[in-house]
Amino acid sequence: MHLQANHEQIPLKDYAERAYLDYSMYVVLDRALPFIGDGLKPVQRRIVYAMNELGLDAAAKPKKSARTVGDVIGKFHPHGDSACYEAMVLMAQSFSYRYPLIDGQGNFGSPDDPKSFAAMRYTESRLTPMAHLLLDELEQGTVEWTPNFDGTLKEPSWLPARVPHVLLNGSTGIAVGMATDIPPHNLREVVSACIHLLDEPEASIAELCRHVKGPDFPTAAEIITPKAELKAMYATGNGSVRCRAIYKIENGNVVITALPYQVSPSKILAQIAEQMRAKKLPMLEDLRDESDHENPVRLVLIPRSTRVDLDEMMQHLNATTDLERSYRINLNLIGLDGKPQVKTLKQILGEWLTFRTNTVTRRLQHRLEKVERRLHLLEGLRIAFLNLDEVIRIVRTEEEPKPVLIKRFKLSEEQADYILETRLRQLARLEEMKLNAERDALEEERARIAVTLKSPAKLKLLIKDELTADAEKYGDKRRSPIIEREVAQALDESSLVVSEPITVVLSEKGWVRAAKGHDVDAPALGFREGDGYLGAAKGKTNQNVAFIDSSGRSYSTQAHTLPSARGNGEPLTGRFTPAPGARFEAVAIADSSNKLVLATDYGYGFVTQFEALQANKKAGKQLINLDDKAHVLAPAYVSDPARDRIVVATNAGHLLMFSVAELPELDNGGKGNKLIEIPKAKLADGERVAGIAVVSEGKGEVTLWAGARKLILKWADLVEYNGNRAQRGGNLPRGFTRVERIETTA
């Protein structure tokens, strides 16, 4: 027999869409975002409520955390125990919560590692006094109760918070398509803003910011965000807050005493140590962690010498480590309408005051109902006292005394039941006096509550008085000072390198290395098979080094990054991408402002600053315009352009000296002007400039090399070759008609 299947058939697309939307709404409303009323997510609310049900208030003896977690997941929150316990631990960590709700005993983690807490079977916990502000009015008709997940118990839909807890401890969460990042605030500041808004409902964000000056994190690190940005953050519900560590100087050392929120000391030490290993902190000698119970954060940084600018060093560390950190702010929460929304400070405080007004109204109405019921019962008891003999007779003689009492004295069923349940000793004269006193007090309370409920002004005054009392009892001073400062900037990498003398050596095939010191015999170094010495330049590790190839392009890198001269070095083609067929021909190292003469073996050159040789791109930059088949010569360094002289030697034995001032200074490179005259016929025969050197007027000295022979020319000798730029120059002595290179004698 064929049976008709009893199920719904819908397209997979519709089913997937509906299922995902249902899941999204669950995550948004029941897991990730806090409710504006009590500032709690469901798991937090259930933990606090379950602990209250277990009697774990601030005065109680703490119980095992496993007991609490068991109650939470067994009665209200059917999810993982580890996730529930982690949420519970977070509410107990004084470095995570500005106002912890749970008092934990045992290992509840540390600022170094917040998740290093012990298992729940080892720790004990109870509520803190602060939690009373969430729970005190719970049984006073202030909340709606809903069935738990299996319908066997009731749980509160929210807790009747007496203060704006949503701002006090803040909240973070990632929902579907949205997230929340609410920073913690100071209780007294928030209450002050609430009272101002009660008095001035039209108050602006700027006025409220006079009370709520900014977030107040659990740590004492500075908030350096400008006040204008803080106001804009509260006006839009979005923004960021930047915090910076606090340090002091003790005996020439830097002592860090407070770190930004959620930054661990061990992470800071690791970040600084990593920079020291990479030789990026030459000004720092050592660091120590002297944190203990009395000083939760005490990191000591020991400078290399007393000449180190400690403030400059800390600025660099602030910029390159978590000593300065930015926090995203997104005031997204579930409002009284049950919908998530990014709200401004005024909207949050305004809605919470509406929530508080409703809560106080419900509390007063609940109390009024209880007072009126008690007065109703006392009125029935008073009638019984006035007619005691008749009441006793009816009770003794009637089989069903209740209806007779109701009819005889016009009582309600509730009054009749109360009279019949009254003990004989309560009928004494003294008890009657107590009942009259109780009735008078209750009637006075009923009148007071009724007046308060009917008068918005008195209701507002009651809320203000309660807020003020709570702020005075539970509040404290601001921990995070707000001091407007500029965002820290890291130092240039060159200024972080130890300044040590080095000699950069370039081989014929474009391999480079750096030898320590200036007393290096570069040509005598070992080279790879088939390779040999090409050139060298003396400088310091904190300078840039530039290389010029046969196409006239310049490339630069930081000198301290070059490999050691212990090996063969590395090929420059690994760092740069020269044109196909181009070879590296010259090397130079100097400060950016230093000047030098660049020349080609065809006899042309110009003066430029070393900065012109530096190129950020791997492909370099065009610097020298070369004649066909011309080659770049080793640069010569200029100290005083107005007085220095340039000495030019050709490989045919001609030497010319003239003033450097006769050469043009080109910032963007070019071909330059003629240095020495080489006739076209001689050029065709192979005469070239062998090298250039710059000497100081009156005390210059150069060395010429021709094979193994060398010739030293002092200033008196050089004067004989003095002339003007572009002349032919004088002839060198016999034996030096084949000059190979020229050097300035140190």
Side-chain angles (χ1 to χ4, degrees), residues 396-666:
R396 290 183 64 188
T397 59
E398 297 292 338
E399 290 185 7
E400 294 290 339
K402 181 178 174 180
V404 177
L405 286 173
I406 292 174
K407 184 177 180 181
R408 172 71 178 80
F409 299 110
K410 298 181 180 178
L411 302 173
S412 67
E413 284 195 24
E414 195 176 20
Q415 286 174 320
D417 286 334
Y418 186 65
I419 291 171
L420 292 172
E421 291 171 1
T422 302
R423 296 177 181 178
L424 284 174
R425 68 180 179 186
Q426 289 182 270
L427 301 178
R429 191 70 188 165
L430 185 63
E431 290 296 325
E432 183 181 3
M433 293 172 63
K434 288 182 180 178
L435 289 175
N436 287 335
E438 182 185 357
R439 183 192 63 189
D440 292 343
L442 289 174
E443 285 180 343
E444 182 183 345
E445 183 180 359
R446 178 175 64 180
R448 187 171 65 251
I449 293 174
V451 169
T452 302
L453 286 172
K454 290 178 182 177
S455 170
K458 288 186 178 296
L459 187 62
K460 186 184 294 185
L461 182 62
L462 174 63
I463 293 171
K464 286 167 59 177
D465 289 344
E466 290 178 350
L467 281 171
T468 303
D470 290 336
E472 184 63 32
K473 182 177 180 180
Y474 297 99
D476 55 7
K477 293 182 180 179
R478 164 174 282 278
R479 290 186 192 170
S480 302
I482 299 177
I483 304 174
E484 188 171 328
R485 301 185 192 275
E486 292 292 328
V487 176
Q489 298 293 329
L491 297 173
D492 292 336
E493 190 168 349
S494 59
S495 61
L496 294 172
V497 179
V498 180
S499 179
E500 296 177 340
I502 58 168
T503 301
V504 179
V505 182
L506 179 64
S507 78
E508 293 173 349
K509 292 193 174 180
W511 283 61
V512 67
R513 49 188 155 164
K516 290 184 178 180
H518 288 168
D519 299 328
V520 178
D521 187 359
L525 293 175
F527 293 88
R528 296 163 61 249
E529 187 176 352
D531 201 356
Y533 171 78
L534 177 66
K538 297 175 181 178
K540 295 180 179 178
T541 49
N542 61 348
Q543 294 176 323
N544 280 356
V545 57
F547 303 92
I548 306 173
D549 70 9
S550 56
S551 68
R553 297 187 72 82
S554 176
Y555 311 80
S556 65
T557 188
Q558 292 158 337
H560 73 273
T561 65
L562 296 177
S564 168
R566 292 192 185 97
N568 292 320
E570 68 177 44
L572 286 175
T573 50
R575 293 176 180 245
F576 314 122
T577 54
R583 300 177 60 206
F584 290 98
E585 295 188 331
V587 56
I589 181 170
D591 291 330
S592 295
S593 59
N594 289 159
K595 294 184 178 182
L596 62 164
V597 178
L598 299 179
T600 68
D601 63 354
Y602 268 40
Y604 286 85
F606 57 90
V607 177
T608 189
Q609 285 192 338
F610 184 75
E611 186 177 12
L613 279 70
Q614 300 179 54
N616 295 324
K617 299 180 293 184
K618 290 186 70 174
K621 60 185 285 191
Q622 190 64 39
L623 180 67
I624 303 175
N625 297 336
L626 295 172
D627 294 300
D628 188 31
K629 297 182 180 180
H631 296 281
V632 180
L633 298 174
Y637 299 89
V638 177
S639 57
D640 185 352
R643 296 177 59 84
D644 283 355
R645 301 297 180 93
I646 181 169
V647 181
V648 186
T650 73
N651 58 8
H654 286 268
L655 189 74
L656 174 66
M657 183 175 74
F658 60 90
S659 174
V660 171
E662 294 188 51
L663 280 179
E665 185 169 334
L666 305 179

Side-chain angles (χ1 to χ4, degrees), residues 695-714:
V695 296
S696 300
E697 184 178 353
K699 55 182 178 181
E701 184 176 306
V702 297
T703 302
L704 299 170
W705 294 84
R709 304 177 66 184
K710 71 176 182 179
L711 174 65
I712 299 177
L713 297 177
K714 297 186 178 182

Side-chain angles (χ1 to χ4, degrees), residues 65-376:
S65 301
R67 173 72 189 279
T68 299
V69 172
D71 266 30
V72 172
I73 66 177
K75 293 180 178 179
F76 311 114
H77 198 71
H79 296 277
D81 59 340
S82 59
C84 177
Y85 180 51
E86 191 169 327
M88 178 180 171
V89 166
L90 195 68
M91 291 191 285
Q93 292 176 338
S94 59
F95 49 85
S96 295
Y97 260 44
R98 179 65 177 82
Y99 299 97
L101 299 178
I102 294 174
D103 177 16
Q105 296 193 13
N107 179 10
F108 274 79
S110 67
D112 254 350
D113 187 2
K115 295 195 175 182
S116 63
F117 49 84
M120 58 185 170
R121 61 182 177 274
Y122 299 119
T123 62
E124 297 182 343
S125 53
R126 61 184 174 185
L127 294 170
T128 62
M130 192 73 187
H132 289 279
L133 294 179
L134 294 172
L135 296 162
D136 276 355
E137 301 172 358
L138 186 61
E139 303 295 337
Q140 298 178 29
T142 54
V143 301
E144 298 290 342
W145 295 81
T146 56
N148 69 338
F149 63 89
D150 61 2
T152 58
L153 295 169
K154 294 281 188 179
E155 62 174 313
S157 299
W158 64 83
L159 297 181
R162 293 169 59 93
V163 290
H165 184 262
V166 69
L167 287 176
L168 301 187
N169 277 322
S171 185
T172 60
I174 300 174
V176 177
M178 64 182 70
T180 183
D181 289 283
I182 305 173
H185 291 78
N186 185 273
L187 172 57
R188 290 178 179 172
E189 290 183 7
V190 172
V191 165
S192 177
C194 287
I195 292 173
H196 180 77
L197 194 57
L198 279 171
D199 292 335
E200 303 287 342
E202 301 302 319
S204 65
I205 295 288
E207 291 172 353
L208 293 176
C209 285
R210 293 186 195 133
H211 301 272
V212 180
K213 297 177 175 59
D216 188 21
F217 295 101
T219 67
E222 297 175 342
I223 295 175
I224 64 171
T225 304
K227 291 181 180 179
E229 291 184 23
L230 292 175
K231 287 180 183 177
M233 176 189 79
Y234 287 126
T236 61
N238 282 295
S240 64
V241 171
R242 185 170 286 273
C243 293
R244 179 181 293 176
I246 292 178
Y247 69 91
K248 58 185 178 180
I249 309 298
E250 283 186 9
N251 301 322
N253 297 332
V254 175
V255 180
I256 299 170
T257 57
L259 296 176
Y261 179 50
Q262 293 179 331
V263 173
S264 72
S266 61
K267 184 176 182 182
I268 293 295
L269 290 174
Q271 289 175 334
I272 297 176
E274 178 61 30
Q275 291 192 45
M276 292 177 69
R277 279 194 296 271
K279 297 184 178 180
K280 293 183 177 180
L281 280 178
M283 67 285 284
L284 199 59
E285 176 72 28
D286 195 11
L287 68 163
R288 295 196 303 264
D289 186 357
E290 296 183 358
S291 306
D292 54 27
H293 182 69
E294 293 183 0
N295 302 288
V297 176
R298 184 178 169 83
L299 307 180
V300 182
L301 308 183
I302 303 169
R304 190 171 292 274
S305 72
T306 56
R307 297 189 301 273
V308 172
D309 187 331
L310 298 181
D311 290 331
E312 187 180 77
M313 179 184 78
M314 290 306 297
Q315 274 286 92
H316 175 74
L317 290 176
N318 287 338
T320 57
T321 70
D322 283 346
L323 287 174
E324 184 172 312
R325 186 171 173 182
S326 183
Y327 299 87
R328 177 174 174 267
I329 305 300
N330 182 24
L331 306 181
N332 188 12
L333 37 73
I334 299 172
L336 296 180
D337 57 2
K339 298 177 181 178
Q341 183 187 354
V342 176
K343 299 181 185 293
T344 66
L345 177 63
K346 183 175 180 179
Q347 286 176 315
I348 293 174
L349 294 178
E351 278 198 44
W352 184 84
L353 287 172
T354 301
F355 167 82
R356 182 61 188 158
T357 302
N358 294 337
T359 300
V360 172
T361 302
R362 291 178 65 149
R363 186 189 79 200
L364 293 175
Q365 288 174 337
H366 178 77
R367 179 59 185 166
L368 183 61
E369 291 171 3
K370 290 186 72 173
V371 168
E372 288 179 337
R373 180 175 179 273
R374 180 62 180 166
L375 284 172
H376 181 63

